[in-house]
Amino acid sequence: MKCLLVDDLEENLLALGALLQRPGLEILTARSGSEALELLLVHDVALAFLDVQMPEMDGFELAELMRGSERTRQVPIIFVTAGARDRHRLFKGYESGAVDFLFKPIEPHILQNKAEVFFQLHRHKQQLALELREKTETLRLNEMLTAVLSHDLRSPLNAVLTSAVLIQRRSTEEPVRETAGRILSSGKRMSRMIEDMLDMARARLAGGIPLKREPADLGVLIDRVVSEIQAAYPEGRIEVQRAGDLNGNWDGERLAQVASNLLGNALQHGDEGAAVKVKVDGTRSEAVLITAENSGTIPPDLLPQLFDPFRGAQRQAGRTEGLGLGLYIVQQIVVAHGGSVEVESGEQNRTTFAVRIPR
């Protein structure tokens, strides 16, 4: 930690330095404003004591130059003066950026106590900056690791899925076909989880999920997604309602991912046996609305963190899986399209996700 003393008289610098000297503190001294500015170019200081009355450049002028530089703008300044307590001079000093004044003759305890306050603030500031850098680096490394692992997991998983498909097609024994089917189902679920992890890493590292916009029909996309979801949840029922023009300039595959995640969550977490209702409303000229409604409610304490990928693993009673990253990915895709997603849960034992996508 460093402290800067600026005074045109050597004896004043020696006296101040002797009073401030303590373990871990480096005292920098300058006999003029220009010499002080040169020191500030190469040193980060915790506190600066500036003599008000100096030739060529006085303390007020030096303080104004320090406040005008990004590097020294936050350095606390205490003016030291032998002049009288003139109101105008005090006002000018604080206007120049001073945090305090010391009048000669200086009381050692006052000097030391005031300096210690700023030294402690500087230590705390450095500690906070260090902790922030460490946490930021840890988060960055974790997200990079997630992306790399997710990418590298896809190759062996694809081999497992291909093998399961071949076994299911070629085997004539029903138990073997059933086992291959379970392997295939679990493998597809793992593949979706890997894609969600990759999307989360992309969104957080790149500042959002990238889109490939092109003309698309949302009705066609919804039909495809419903067909795929029904194959994964044959016991579930999905009722679809369409209205208006469902065409727009979107990333079709990403919007299909939004629909898939919402419908999968609705079937998985909604009341068993109850239908999931999907409405696609294209009657507005500026945007298309998608709503997915299911029977059942989300616990009130979970609603505020619903789109948070790092929330605790809270699960509804009777369910074996949490919501995972699906809703976070939904939010990121919708936001990338310039849209919004909202959820209402509780009224008449229903939960509704409403997505607005500008055309």
Side-chain angles (χ1 to χ4, degrees), residues 1 121-131 133:
M1 186 164 53
L121 288 174
H122 184 73
R123 285 192 289 266
H124 292 161
K125 182 180 177 181
Q126 287 184 317
Q127 182 63 31
L128 288 173
L130 177 61
E131 292 176 0
R133 285 197 299 271

Side-chain angles (χ1 to χ4, degrees), residues 102-227:
L102 284 177
F103 294 90
K104 299 176 182 178
I106 295 174
E107 171 60 44
H109 292 296
I110 294 177
L111 172 71
Q112 293 165 351
N113 290 338
K114 288 187 175 184
E116 183 59 31
V117 170
F118 291 103
F119 293 153
Q120 288 182 5
L121 288 174
H122 184 73
R123 285 192 289 266
H124 292 161
K125 182 180 177 181
Q126 287 184 317
Q127 182 63 31
L128 288 173
L130 177 61
E131 292 176 0
L132 179 60
R133 285 197 299 271
E134 290 176 347
K135 290 179 180 179
T136 301
E137 182 65 14
T138 299
L139 179 61
R140 188 183 71 85
L141 290 175
N142 285 343
E143 289 172 345
M144 288 181 62
L145 180 62
T146 298
V148 171
L149 285 177
S150 300
H151 182 272
D152 290 345
L153 282 172
R154 285 194 292 185
S155 294
L157 179 58
N158 287 337
V160 171
L161 291 173
T162 302
S163 300
V165 170
L166 289 175
I167 293 172
Q168 193 177 44
R169 289 178 178 177
R170 295 182 180 181
S171 177
T172 57
E173 300 180 19
E174 191 59 29
V176 175
R177 290 172 58 84
E178 290 180 357
T179 300
R182 287 195 295 270
I183 294 173
L184 190 59
S185 177
S186 297
K188 288 181 178 179
R189 178 169 164 269
M190 184 180 292
S191 179
R192 289 194 297 272
M193 292 170 62
I194 290 173
E195 290 301 321
D196 283 348
M197 291 171 65
L198 279 170
D199 281 338
M200 185 191 74
R202 292 188 193 106
R204 295 182 67 84
L205 289 173
I209 291 180
L211 301 179
K212 295 180 180 179
R213 290 180 179 269
E214 58 185 7
D217 185 334
L218 199 53
V220 174
L221 294 173
I222 293 293
D223 286 341
R224 191 190 81 191
V225 170
V226 169
S227 177

Side-chain angles (χ1 to χ4, degrees), residues 10 32 39 61 75 85 132 196 241 246 289 305 307:
E10 183 68 27
S32 66
L39 289 172
E61 294 171 324
V75 175
R85 294 175 182 266
L132 179 60
D196 283 348
Q241 297 180 12
L246 303 182
L289 302 180
Q305 295 86 33
F307 299 99

Side-chain angles (χ1 to χ4, degrees), residues 329-345:
I329 302 303
V330 166
Q331 184 191 53
Q332 292 299 306
I333 294 173
V334 172
V335 169
H337 279 87
S340 61
V341 55
E342 298 177 353
V343 58
E344 294 182 359
S345 185

